[in-house]
Amino acid sequence: MSEPKPLPPHLTGGNFLLTETNPDLVSTPEDLAAEQRLMAQTAGKFMEKEVLPNFEALEHQQEGLSPKLFRKAGELGLLGIEVPEAYGGLGLGKISGIGVGEQFTRLGGFGVTIGAHCGIGTQPLIYFGTEAQKKKYLSKLATGEWTGAYALSETGSGSDALGMRTKATLSPDGKHYVLNGAKMWISNAGWADLFTIFAKVDGQHVTAFLVERTFPGLSTGKEEHKLGIKSSSTRRVMLEDVKVPVENVLGEVGKGAYIAFNILNFGRFGLGAGAIGGAKDLLKVATRYALERQQFGKAIASFGLIQHKLAEMAAQIFAGESIVYRTAGMIDAVMATGELMDSMTPNFPRGLDEFALECSVIKVACSEIMDFVADETLQIHGGYGYTEEFPAARAYRDSRINRIFEGTNEINRLFIPGLLMRRAQRGRLPLLQAIAKISKDILDLAPFDDSAGGDELAAAQSLIANAKKLALMLAGVTYQKFGDKLIDEQEVLASLSDIISDIYQAESALLRTLKARQAGGKSTVMSDLTLIFVNDAAGRMEAHARQSLAATSEGDELRGQLGLVRRLLRWQPLNTVALRRRIAKRLCELGNYPALIEGK
Ligand SMILES: Cc1cc2nc3c(=O)[nH]c(=O)nc-3n(C[C@H](O)[C@H](O)[C@H](O)COP(=O)(O)OP(=O)(O)OC[C@H]3O[C@@H](n4cnc5c(N)ncnc54)[C@H](O)[C@@H]3O)c2cc1C
């Protein structure tokens, strides 16, 4: 396997940590074309008319209802957005699908049904299927005639997915693999027609198989009794001597891990993008309730602490939305180059692999933003939020799964710095050179002007640039201390991961704001949201850096390092109370997040 050729800096995964990016090069929701907005509106109307009025029946899994609505979504063309036109899809990219996905997650369980189908259920075929496999299955999945599922997890292997025990053995005549084992927690298992099932050939070589529901020997267990996303189906899948034709091996024997993990990159992207959609919807619910509910003779929206919650939700959503669109734009651009990775046959698109780090950041950050928003929406509803009569309780339960599936947030936090190091070692990212440079330069740091002549966005930009230096310094110091054993220092790695995540979110929010400003739009709201986020990120990053360094160094060395942290993250605290009050007031006037951002 050869390492891929270099891409432009702004299209190189993980490179945001090493360079500055021009705002023009960043995709934002403000760039959406009319047709893309229209598709999201179609999905929105479908949700309003067909899905949300039926949510009780869906949550009680009324026989046949979910598959029926699923097929209707297919008839509207909403399931094949990323499927090539040759197989009945629209052949569009990630950006086009975001607005549609956001609509589906307004009912968490239905969002999982569709998300699992369009993501991990269909994408293995799009990127790893042979022509014959695509002809046979992909058009059925694109139109919703068939439902897809992805079966990797087992009772004994979740995070350690490659520890699976499901086996595949080639039949003596060489025509079939015979699969035996059981998969656990499979989304859509109740109604899926096609499963991508991972099994070990001869108990060793992880391989992906396309398995039809009707293949004899495949059965499913009963529905899991879940905390939330109750309208989705989650079941075990049992495999007893299931004969799978050799033509249904997806990719190559022994290369299933490439499929499993690369597909999860896009799965994580989709999960994060959907979570932001759910969060936006909830912020509308929270705002409406805060305006309606009267206590002490006033609407609770007039209280500072409620305003703080509303504005904080908006700031976090803005940061999350900014990383989703920025990453989608980068994925689409690399996909458009047609470049392939030659790790296996078939060669798969480089765009699937390039932004694995960014997809993990999106997964962790957006799932936690959604959880925060669900929690605060419930809190704003007080006692009523604790009942099933209001949507906050359901959203709170539904949201919780996002931190668990598609790789738990712990696993993703460990993956982020791990991937950076691996790419550096392979020469795919000039990280080691950047760390070496920073170790030299950092001693001669010019004093940082944290006021930037009164331009707060410029000050934020300098802070973010310095935070990147901090992340590199931290990576260097900890690697020097622990070497290859750094992998065992999970707390340090997770802190580094959170710093990287804050940098990506803060920078993406800032670049979006600068881009809007350059386009002549009114960016006061965006600017306020960015500054709230950056201000608080500065505190979080400092706390993470101090904790990691204290676990790494001691004495004078530690004191010197902490001094550098203080210098790098010197930041004059902003009056975020005033900023949040301004945002909350505007949000209450306009009623929802999209109107807040668009200023209407
Ligand atoms: C509703 C639902 C739907 C799902 N849908 C699908 C699906 O469609 N297809 C599919 O294949 N799977 C699916 N899953 C499975 C899901 O991906 C796994 O639950 C998840 O990967 C975690 O695995 P686990 O549950 O075995 O937890 P474990 O791996 O046992 O983890 C338990 C805890 O230990 C932590 N942990 C584990 N390893 C480490 C480590 N090395 N370092 C630090 N902490 C660690 C985890 O973060 C977690 O907090 C679904 C699960 C649910 C609940």
Side-chain angles (χ1 to χ4, degrees):
M1 181 184 90
S2 57
E3 288 303 330
K5 309 194 289 270
L7 286 162
H10 74 285
L11 295 181
T12 302
N15 203 40
F16 68 89
L17 261 186
L18 313 183
T19 52
E20 303 287 304
T21 303
N22 187 321
D24 287 342
L25 297 173
V26 171
S27 297
T28 71
E30 290 67 53
D31 306 326
L32 282 175
E35 316 82 79
Q36 290 167 322
R37 291 176 198 271
L38 200 64
M39 257 190 320
Q41 280 167 17
T42 305
K45 281 188 197 143
F46 168 71
M47 288 300 289
E48 298 283 348
K49 202 165 145 243
E50 308 274 359
V51 178
L52 297 173
N54 286 311
F55 89 86
E56 283 284 4
L58 282 164
E59 290 287 271
H60 288 96
Q61 297 222 346
Q62 185 185 305
E63 186 63 28
L65 181 58
S66 226
K68 188 176 120 199
L69 292 173
F70 172 85
R71 278 192 297 277
K72 276 198 176 170
E75 284 159 20
L76 290 170
L78 299 172
L79 301 179
I81 293 175
E82 289 182 47
V83 177
E85 285 176 284
Y87 307 104
L90 299 177
L92 300 171
K94 286 271 166 245
I95 289 195
S96 301
I98 298 172
V100 173
E102 281 189 345
Q103 291 298 327
F104 290 135
T105 46
R106 291 170 66 191
L107 180 60
F110 193 68
V112 168
T113 300
I114 304 253
H117 167 81
C118 294
I120 55 180
T122 302
Q123 295 192 343
L125 253 174
I126 301 182
Y127 300 116
F128 298 95
T130 61
E131 192 52 36
Q133 289 168 342
K134 289 184 193 176
K135 278 211 172 102
K136 187 163 179 191
Y137 296 121
L138 199 46
S139 336
K140 288 186 171 148
L141 294 176
T143 53
E145 190 186 332
W146 274 26
T147 308
Y150 167 100
L152 178 66
S153 307
E154 300 185 0
T155 42
S157 56
S159 301
D160 178 19
L162 300 184
M164 68 185 71
R165 302 180 72 165
T166 298
K167 279 195 187 130
T169 314
L170 190 61
S171 61
D173 62 6
K175 290 188 176 160
H176 294 96
Y177 280 95
V178 181
L179 267 58
N180 277 290
K183 294 289 171 179
M184 179 88 192
W185 310 117
I186 306 310
S187 299
N188 286 346
W191 42 67
D193 303 283
L194 185 70
F195 296 83
T196 300
I197 295 185
F198 294 86
K200 284 185 176 164
V201 170
D202 300 333
Q204 285 184 48
H205 311 289
V206 176
T207 305
F209 295 90
L210 296 168
V211 185
E212 295 181 29
R213 180 179 205 93
T214 52
F215 285 177
L218 185 149
S219 61
T220 58
K222 51 182 187 355
E223 283 298 329
E224 298 294 340
H225 191 54
K226 304 190 291 278
L227 173 71
I229 55 165
K230 288 176 186 287
S231 53
S232 71
S233 165
T234 316
R235 296 186 186 202
R236 290 179 191 226
V237 176
M238 278 77 77
L239 304 152
E240 274 183 73
D241 290 330
V242 180
K243 283 163 93 182
V244 180
V246 286
E247 306 85 77
N248 279 27
V249 168
L250 189 65
E252 285 176 64
V253 169
K255 295 285 174 84
Y258 277 109
I259 301 179
F261 296 137
N262 276 300
I263 288 304
L264 281 180
N265 293 338
F266 279 4
R268 288 166 185 166
F269 173 88
L271 181 152
I276 292 298
K280 284 191 217 173
D281 201 47
L282 272 186
L283 181 52
K284 183 164 76 183
V285 172
T287 307
R288 190 167 53 220
Y289 189 83
L291 286 166
E292 282 167 5
R293 176 69 175 166
Q294 301 270 323
Q295 286 293 282
F296 303 98
K298 299 176 184 174
I300 60 169
S302 64
F303 300 128
L305 289 182
I306 300 295
Q307 290 172 1
H308 180 104
K309 290 183 195 305
L310 294 173
E312 181 57 23
M313 288 191 246
Q316 292 197 22
I317 291 171
F318 183 71
E321 190 182 52
S322 302
I323 55 174
V324 165
Y325 275 87
R326 180 179 181 182
T327 308
M330 300 191 301
I331 292 175
D332 286 349
V334 174
M335 283 292 194
T337 64
E339 239 197 272
L340 299 171
M341 301 290 287
D342 62 2
S343 336
M344 62 177 283
T345 308
N347 294 337
F348 60 90
R350 181 166 182 182
L352 190 56
D353 156 276
E354 188 63 36
F355 302 105
L357 181 147
E358 287 80 356
C359 290
S360 278
V361 169
I362 286 176
K363 196 274 174 180
V364 174
C366 298
S367 63
E368 293 179 5
I369 291 168
M370 175 60 187
D371 255 7
F372 170 78
V373 170
D375 186 58
E376 289 292 51
T377 300
L378 193 151
Q379 190 68 14
I380 286 174
H381 282 70
Y384 295 99
Y386 205 66
T387 71
E388 296 292 336
E389 275 166 56
F390 287 79
R394 176 171 47 76
Y396 183 81
R397 289 185 284 97
D398 286 353
S399 161
R400 190 62 183 79
I401 185 59
N402 290 317
R403 283 163 52 201
I404 297 173
F405 57 17
E406 307 270 358
T408 65
N409 283 15
E410 289 76 18
I411 293 297
N412 275 284
R413 279 192 160 89
L414 297 174
F415 175 76
I416 289 164
L419 182 80
L420 265 183
M421 296 293 182
R422 281 197 297 282
R423 292 223 169 148
Q425 281 160 356
R426 289 187 195 143
R428 235 176 118 174
L429 193 67
L431 178 74
L432 301 177
Q433 297 84 322
I435 290 177
K437 184 167 183 317
I438 222 62
S439 320
K440 269 208 302 155
D441 293 358
I442 211 156
L443 299 171
D444 314 315
L445 264 185
F448 167 49
D449 177 7
D450 59 356
S451 66
D455 182 345
E456 288 164 334
L457 288 181
Q461 202 160 18
S462 303
L463 180 87
I464 293 165
N466 273 0
K468 294 182 187 184
K469 293 180 187 151
L470 172 77
L472 294 175
M473 172 190 121
L474 208 55
V477 166
T478 51
Y479 189 70
Q480 214 171 18
K481 164 88 186 205
F482 300 111
D484 290 339
K485 296 244 162 36
L486 183 54
I487 197 170
D488 299 325
E489 301 301 318
Q490 294 195 340
E491 301 88 331
V492 169
L493 291 173
S495 284
L496 186 54
S497 179
D498 283 359
I499 292 174
I500 292 170
S501 172
D502 263 330
I503 291 171
Y504 193 48
Q505 291 179 77
E507 186 183 61
S508 303
L510 177 81
L511 292 172
R512 178 176 172 190
T513 303
L514 293 176
K515 189 173 180 182
R517 201 196 244 187
Q518 280 168 14
K522 279 199 231 137
S523 57
T524 319
V525 165
M526 289 193 192
S527 164
D528 286 355
L529 293 170
T530 299
L531 291 172
I532 291 168
F533 190 89
V534 170
N535 186 78
D536 289 10
R540 287 192 296 268
M541 291 190 287
E542 181 166 356
H544 279 304
R546 289 169 64 85
Q547 181 186 305
S548 297
L549 289 169
T552 310
S553 311
E554 51 191 16
D556 285 345
E557 191 185 22
L558 176 60
R559 272 189 288 280
Q561 289 165 348
L562 295 179
L564 279 173
V565 172
R566 271 195 302 277
R567 274 177 75 191
L568 281 169
L569 294 185
R570 214 179 95 194
W571 170 258
Q572 192 169 308
L574 298 171
N575 181 356
T576 49
V577 171
L579 291 175
R580 284 196 176 90
R581 284 186 185 175
R582 195 152 74 190
I583 288 292
K585 182 166 176 284
R586 203 77 188 109
L587 183 63
C588 288
E589 282 163 8
L590 296 166
N592 62 65
Y593 172 86
L596 174 75
I597 300 300
E598 287 163 23
K600 57 182 185 211

